[in-house]
Amino acid sequence: MSRFSLRQLQYFVVIAESGTLSNAASRLHVSQPTLSQALTELENALGVQLCVRRKAHGITLTPSGSQVLHHARQLLRQAEDLQSAAAGAGPLTGVLSVGCYVTFAPTVLPPLLQGFSADHPGLTIDFTEDTQDVLQRRLLSGELDIALLYDMEVSPELARTTLYTIRPHILLPADHPMAAQPTVSLEELTPEPMVLLSAPPSSHDTLAIYQRLNLVPRVTYRPTTYELTRALVGRGMGYALLVQRPANDRTYEGYPVVIKEIAEPVPDARVVIAWPRTMRLNRRADEFVRYCTRMLG
């Protein structure tokens, strides 16, 4: 039998995520000497050095430490599943780690978190917003249970199910000459300055639309956030091609913007929920997938 404990694995995961023993001790509400001793005992039990400890620079994982971290996260989740199975079909407990693509997180994530938490008050939901490439890396490393993504450039190592589809649109300042038209042609807009949301994979997909139409946009600005993109458009500094459709028709600064349908045929964007193929969904994640499918499908 292994000579390490689940608590030692838990301490190691928190130390790795916190970067320093002091931060980890604060999160776990234990003393630094206790954490240091647990880490040393885990290294002795496994026969490898998991991290390099530097007083001024915190801890740095060794290659072996990175591998152990991935498996430790899986073991801790399996331990939670075992406890849940032993309790039968009782209330959901434990922690569910959810990722969401940054541009649609403000419109999609809040109602899901609120509704699912109301149905399962004993469950803790940790969530993070980020770009698609970062979320996929965190899924595969075991940091996240599931993530809501666009069905674009998704790793074959991830399983996924479609939640809904949505058509891209053009965002214009309210005083733009084409703002009153029912539809707007990308070909007509191409000579004008464009504000390109540069948050992978949004930018790649946007440019692919132009490529299919044999058009070359005149990209003037490349903001990395959705709201800055809207703010630049609101000030009349260009138009944008976006997917998410927030209910508000004004920017943070109060400038009005309008959503216009695209005259040319463009493919719909699909929003999916994804998880590693090699990892069986635990009960918490499986219930969340069912809830998302029911609410967004």
Side-chain angles (χ1 to χ4, degrees):
M1 295 292 293
S2 298
R3 293 177 294 143
F4 59 85
S5 67
L6 290 176
R7 184 169 298 278
Q8 289 171 341
L9 291 179
Q10 180 197 19
Y11 285 177
F12 169 60
V13 169
V14 176
I15 290 170
E17 292 175 347
S18 302
T20 66
L21 286 173
S22 60
N23 289 341
S26 178
R27 284 179 56 184
L28 292 165
H29 304 291
V30 298
S31 67
Q32 290 189 48
T34 298
L35 281 185
S36 181
Q37 180 180 356
L39 181 58
T40 299
E41 291 173 351
L42 180 61
E43 289 178 324
N44 291 337
L46 296 175
V48 295
Q49 183 177 0
L50 299 175
C51 59
V52 179
R53 311 181 206 186
R54 299 186 179 92
K55 288 186 178 180
H57 303 284
I59 66 103
T60 303
L61 292 183
T62 63
S64 295
S66 296
Q67 292 180 353
V68 171
L69 177 62
H70 173 71
H71 292 291
R73 287 182 174 129
Q74 289 186 330
L75 280 173
L76 290 172
R77 284 192 172 90
Q78 289 170 357
E80 287 186 349
D81 292 344
L82 178 61
Q83 186 175 10
S84 178
L92 289 182
T93 59
V95 178
L96 176 67
S97 298
V98 180
C100 188
Y101 182 59
V102 64
T103 63
F104 59 73
T107 56
V108 173
L109 202 52
L112 294 177
L113 296 179
Q114 184 180 42
F116 197 67
S117 295
D119 289 347
H120 306 283
L123 182 69
T124 299
I125 303 178
D126 284 341
F127 70 89
T128 183
E129 313 160 66
D130 221 313
T131 56
Q132 191 126 327
D133 52 345
V134 173
L135 292 175
Q136 292 190 74
R137 285 200 303 269
R138 297 190 66 180
L139 277 173
L140 294 173
S141 70
E143 296 177 67
L144 298 173
D145 291 308
I146 48 181
L148 286 84
L149 312 166
Y150 278 127
D151 194 13
M152 306 169 188
E153 303 176 14
V154 176
S155 168
E157 297 179 73
L158 296 177
R160 58 192 185 274
T161 186
T162 299
L163 297 177
Y164 65 93
T165 61
I166 186 170
R167 195 170 190 268
H169 64 269
I170 294 169
L171 190 71
L172 295 175
D175 59 356
H176 191 279
M178 301 183 194
Q181 299 177 195
T183 61
V184 173
S185 168
L186 284 177
E187 185 175 5
E188 292 181 35
L189 278 176
T190 297
E192 299 187 18
M194 180 188 184
V195 181
L196 177 64
L197 175 60
S198 186
S202 287
S203 54
H204 304 161
D205 187 64
T206 297
L207 294 176
I209 290 175
Y210 280 89
Q211 188 175 16
R212 281 192 292 268
L213 297 173
N214 294 316
L215 300 174
V216 179
R218 184 182 149 210
V219 178
T220 307
Y221 300 102
R222 293 177 179 265
T224 58
T225 64
Y226 188 78
E227 284 303 331
L228 179 54
T229 302
R230 286 168 52 86
L232 294 174
V233 172
R235 283 182 169 269
M237 300 170 69
Y239 71 95
L241 186 63
L242 300 172
V243 175
Q244 290 304 307
R245 304 182 180 220
N248 60 308
D249 58 357
R250 290 182 178 270
T251 67
Y252 281 155
E253 298 178 299
Y255 292 100
V257 291
V258 294
I259 289 175
K260 307 305 297 184
E261 301 302 331
I262 302 171
E264 291 86 355
V266 295
D268 290 343
R270 291 195 297 176
V271 173
V272 301
I273 189 165
W275 60 91
R277 290 187 182 277
T278 57
M279 188 179 300
R280 183 179 63 84
L281 285 178
N282 57 41
R283 184 176 165 221
R284 296 179 298 278
D286 184 61
E287 288 292 338
F288 189 72
V289 170
R290 293 174 186 273
Y291 182 81
C292 291
T293 304
R294 186 168 68 251
M295 299 303 294
L296 300 176

